[in-house]
Amino acid sequence: MTAIISTPYSRELGDELRRLRETCTQFHGRAMAISLGWDPSKVSDIELGKVRASDVDLVQYMATCGKNIDFIDAFRSRYYNAFDLYLAQVPDKLRTLALTEAMATKIISYDIMTVHGLLQTDDYARELFVDSHIEAPDDIERFVQARMDRQTIMRRPNRPECMFYLHELALRMRLGSPSVREDQYLRLLFNTHMLRIVPAHVSTLRSACTLYEFGKAAPVVYSETDTANVYAQDSAAVARTRRLFQRLDAVALDAEQSKRKLAEYVSALREDSHDGGADLA
């Protein structure tokens, strides 16, 4: 068993092992360790993704859970890259992201064309999936619900400290009906204590990204595209992202200015509606 810095994927796979123990055995953590002849802390460290288990450790652990060699080999193939500092996953692999957000003590994000998932209304999220023409119609409601489930971390007593930088281009996107956009603007208005608008004239148009910080783990940079979700824990990637947020802090509107900017968009929608206009210009 080798001690190494944990990653989002090592923590996810460690949690998968914990759930396997809880559902397939009668053992709590200490009893599992005794059964395996391990030090009690070893089970905890592996399940928390804090250390890399050896192949022998994994075979012993999963055999105790009653798993056959095919199951064990499939898990080992995933576990092989669990501690890599860069990880790319298919977009519908959401458990790593949900676990990362649930563990974070601080979340800082920059979004350009769309509102961050933790601040989206369900109708706005639905329109994003429909508008992409990528997701199968039968999957859309499942993806929307998964996004809404992720937002429960924002209602926790110990919720993470958050700051969302949003480029004004996202506000100008004609996504869905005016009522869908108005509801989304209002959601943002209620959260301007953790939201800062980057004005349209500012050309900080780098890729959207999110920085997650943790109490006892290294920070992680996350970005997503239509083809992959990417996690970067390399110190250079983290430092580069911190410099981006320093730049955004200098050019973004403050909380009160952001509130006024959002109010302008709400007013424009309502004026268009009263005038019989079809959309926000």
Side-chain angles (χ1 to χ4, degrees), residues 17-25 27-29 47 61:
L17 289 172
R18 175 192 61 79
R19 291 185 292 119
L20 196 66
R21 169 177 58 78
E22 292 178 347
T23 57
C24 298
T25 79
F27 295 139
H28 51 69
E47 291 180 353
Y61 188 105

Side-chain angles (χ1 to χ4, degrees), residues 58-265:
L58 292 175
V59 169
Q60 291 177 342
Y61 188 105
M62 286 185 278
T64 301
C65 294
K67 297 305 177 182
N68 62 30
I69 191 63
D70 291 336
F71 183 97
I72 294 171
D73 284 345
F75 185 90
R76 286 172 56 218
S77 68
R78 290 187 291 141
Y79 196 80
Y80 182 80
N81 298 112
F83 290 85
D84 290 355
L85 296 183
Y86 286 88
L87 169 70
Q89 293 183 326
V90 294
D92 60 354
K93 183 76 166 59
L94 301 175
R95 193 164 185 278
T96 308
L97 177 59
L99 189 61
T100 298
E101 290 176 336
M103 292 181 61
T105 57
K106 188 173 185 178
I107 299 174
I108 311 174
S109 78
Y110 174 47
D111 290 273
I112 305 166
M113 304 304 290
T114 60
V115 174
H116 193 278
L118 292 178
L119 293 179
Q120 291 176 9
T121 65
D122 55 353
D123 285 338
Y124 181 94
R126 187 174 294 105
E127 287 294 338
L128 280 175
F129 288 120
V130 171
D131 191 61
S132 72
H133 300 288
I134 295 175
E135 311 301 343
D138 292 343
D139 291 333
I140 289 177
E141 288 308 312
R142 177 169 59 88
F143 290 144
V144 171
Q145 187 57 52
R147 189 158 295 183
M148 296 304 103
D149 289 344
R150 284 169 45 203
Q151 295 180 6
T152 59
I153 67 166
M154 307 297 286
R155 300 189 287 274
R156 295 184 328 205
N158 62 334
R159 60 184 176 273
E161 177 187 347
C162 296
M163 178 55 66
F164 299 96
Y165 292 96
L166 180 65
H167 201 281
E168 192 175 350
L169 285 177
L171 303 179
R172 295 183 173 184
M173 291 292 289
R174 298 185 177 186
L175 186 71
S177 67
S179 63
V180 168
R181 296 201 298 282
E182 180 176 348
D183 287 346
Q184 183 60 68
Y185 294 155
L186 292 175
R187 168 72 65 85
L188 296 175
L189 266 171
F190 293 142
N191 288 282
T192 47
H193 61 288
M194 55 182 175
L195 174 71
R196 296 184 61 187
I197 302 298
V198 179
H201 68 270
V202 175
S203 59
T204 312
L205 296 179
R206 296 183 178 273
S207 299
C209 62
T210 303
L211 176 66
Y212 296 101
E213 298 184 2
F214 311 91
K216 295 183 179 180
V220 173
V221 178
Y222 171 80
S223 59
E224 61 184 47
T225 68
D226 289 336
T227 56
N229 295 343
V230 179
Y231 299 82
Q233 200 164 300
D234 177 72
S235 58
V238 172
R240 185 179 181 86
T241 303
R242 291 193 191 281
R243 290 195 296 272
L244 169 62
F245 288 131
Q246 289 174 352
R247 161 67 174 161
L248 292 172
D249 184 61
V251 300
L253 304 178
D254 62 27
E256 188 58 37
Q257 291 170 330
S258 297
K259 183 180 293 186
R260 289 199 295 269
K261 177 63 69 174
L262 285 163
E264 290 174 8
Y265 278 85

